[in-house]
Amino acid sequence: MKVLVINAGSSSLKYQLIDMETEKVIAKGGCERIGISGSVLKAKGNGGERVYKQKMPNHKVAIELVLEALTDDEIGVINSMDEIGAVGHRIVASGEFFKKTTLVTDEVLKTLEEKTFELAPLHNPGAATAIRACIEVMPKTPMALVFDTSFHQTMPEKAYLYGIDYNDYKEYGVRKYGAHGTSHKFVAAEAAKYLGKNPEELKIVTCHLGNGSSISAVDGGKCVDTSMGFTPLAGVMMGTRSGDIDASAVEFLARKKGLSHAEVVTYLNKKCGVAGISGVSSDFRDLIAGEKKGNERCALALDMFAYQTKKFVGAYAAAMGGLDCIVFTAGIGENTPTVREDVCTGLEFLGVKFNARANKAKNDGSIREISKSNSKVKVLIIPTNEELVIARETAALL
Ligand code: AMP
């Protein structure tokens, strides 16, 4: 079976077509600037690449264009869309309305639209628009919703609850949901495979460090805690997101800056994090370049990021009562040796013997071990593959 994986945002739509027999990506691409001028689809397939500079006023037109690319004479990989056995849609937030991968029905779509938009206003509305567009274009193809939050559903109450009035949790669902679940799930399973161990034997801290970053405690193959919260604003500071902050500061900042509470939350999402601290960029490549040139605020941003990440590693080792493995993944986790080194330095007391030389080796896209062979705690770099998890979940559901 071939599964089309769709990851849609408000103005973007990324896709991969995966052949589930081989688990190989046979085509992929992305639409940008949907609904705004200058829309473009960059599509790869059949060893070729094509750029479609075409008006995409909405997600329906974008999906139609993706299907055109998939069946294109040159870069196409299928003869007709009937060859697509199922579509898996990535959904960022589920609240407590969906606990696992769910088949799309009218009822399910209604719940997604009516209950979850306010939990992820930047992500879920775009995804729902894309699902409706897909249904219009491929009405007979089964579709699944695969949630970033599902892997975190195994967290115990003591980990996911905030210290607020319990009735307010019950009434409004204010609790920790986490994010990047498909990535944490994938790399934790890959780590167990790489180490030749049963996942049930392992206590792993998975560090998904990208433009959005989250850290999870995976005990016996199950998530028991994670750093992101009610929304993906929480945890370590990120590209432009502040990470954890005292809620009183929101009210204080609103007063001082003459902003509404909602505007302060937008500020905390878009203007803070390493971009806010450095005043230079949200991209770690720029920060590292800045630090090399002596920019102290770039150095501070990098230092804060590694410090905060390290604290989660230590906290989660304590929460699990031990640690066998630390995994680094995503854009920064896979590509930035200095961050990995700064996180792992000082963790010798936990049993980490870091291999600085292996850490600096070129990223060849494979799993790499960056702890010494006698290290009690293994440290691994594992390239994440969220799309493959979405495709597997979709195929398994069907
Ligand atoms: P992600 O959200 O996982 O795509 O990660 C994006 C972030 O990873 C970027 O903002 C960069 O800071 C970082 N990144 C990606 N590629 C590299 C690289 N080759 N070297 C250093 N940092 C990178």
Side-chain angles (χ1 to χ4, degrees), residues 208-212 282-285 288 330-333 335-336:
H208 177 108
L209 308 180
N211 204 24
S282 63
D283 192 302
F284 274 58
R285 287 163 287 201
I288 287 161
I332 299 158
N335 294 298
T336 316

Side-chain angles (χ1 to χ4, degrees), residues 21-198:
E21 315 261 286
T22 56
E23 293 199 329
K24 290 254 149 65
V25 177
I26 49 178
K28 67 178 189 179
C31 305
E32 282 164 33
R33 302 183 65 86
I34 300 168
I36 32 186
S37 63
S39 346
V40 60
L41 160 63
K42 291 179 189 154
K44 282 186 185 171
N46 214 8
E49 187 171 5
R50 203 173 145 186
V51 178
Y52 297 75
K53 285 192 178 152
Q54 220 159 301
K55 261 196 186 158
M56 286 178 244
N58 53 50
H59 284 74
K60 179 165 178 269
V61 178
I63 297 275
E64 282 169 344
L65 203 55
V66 166
L67 292 172
E68 197 180 309
L70 290 172
T71 51
D72 183 83
D73 284 345
E74 275 174 39
I75 63 154
V77 292
I78 52 175
N79 294 315
S80 87
M81 66 187 198
D82 294 343
E83 287 180 44
I84 300 172
V87 183
H89 292 274
R90 176 200 178 201
I91 308 291
V92 167
S94 67
E96 290 194 325
F97 304 101
F98 302 101
K99 305 229 158 162
K100 54 182 198 243
T101 300
T102 305
L103 202 63
V104 175
T105 61
D106 285 346
E107 193 66 23
V108 161
L109 206 42
K110 201 163 155 251
T111 306
L112 182 79
E113 290 173 338
E114 287 177 2
K115 308 281 190 190
T116 72
F117 280 12
E118 59 186 358
L119 297 173
L122 299 179
H123 296 96
N124 279 20
T129 310
I131 296 163
R132 289 222 177 264
C134 269
I135 294 171
E136 260 189 74
V137 181
M138 324 160 71
K140 292 203 190 98
T141 313
M143 296 187 193
L145 305 183
V146 183
F147 300 94
D148 277 14
T149 42
S150 296
F151 183 58
H152 304 304
Q153 286 293 330
T154 47
M155 283 190 289
E157 234 184 359
K158 67 179 176 189
Y160 70 66
L161 282 184
Y162 293 122
I164 59 169
D165 186 330
Y166 191 80
N167 296 317
D168 288 333
Y169 152 61
K170 278 293 180 197
E171 176 76 15
Y172 306 117
V174 176
R175 51 158 280 188
K176 182 189 276 203
Y177 291 107
H180 302 131
T182 48
S183 177
H184 290 288
K185 180 179 182 171
F186 179 77
V187 298
E190 287 292 299
K193 241 193 279 173
Y194 176 86
L195 297 171
K197 294 262 168 82
N198 188 328

Side-chain angles (χ1 to χ4, degrees), residues 248-283:
S248 304
V250 174
E251 196 273 332
F252 187 86
L253 280 168
R255 221 167 351 106
K256 291 289 179 195
K257 288 171 82 79
L259 301 173
S260 68
H261 287 179
E263 284 167 338
V264 174
V265 173
T266 304
Y267 155 85
L268 292 172
N269 269 294
K270 305 217 157 157
K271 301 258 186 249
C272 296
V274 292
I277 292 292
S278 69
V280 169
S281 172
S282 63
D283 192 302

Side-chain angles (χ1 to χ4, degrees), residues 310-383:
K310 187 202 298 256
K311 282 206 299 184
F312 273 104
V313 174
Y316 288 166
M320 292 189 288
L323 183 64
D324 299 303
C325 181
I326 301 169
V327 178
F328 288 99
T329 192
I332 299 158
E334 292 169 36
N335 294 298
T336 316
T338 50
V339 168
R340 294 189 298 256
E341 181 159 0
D342 290 348
V343 171
C344 291
T345 301
L347 295 184
E348 292 78 11
F349 76 100
L350 279 177
V352 175
K353 286 191 180 158
F354 193 68
N355 185 337
R357 187 200 291 250
N359 180 50
K360 288 192 188 106
K362 202 168 176 290
N363 178 8
D364 60 0
S366 66
I367 297 183
R368 289 184 289 147
E369 194 167 333
I370 53 169
S371 46
K372 292 191 172 149
S373 56
N374 62 349
S375 181
K376 183 177 92 54
V377 176
K378 299 290 172 201
V379 186
L380 304 175
I381 304 166
I382 303 185

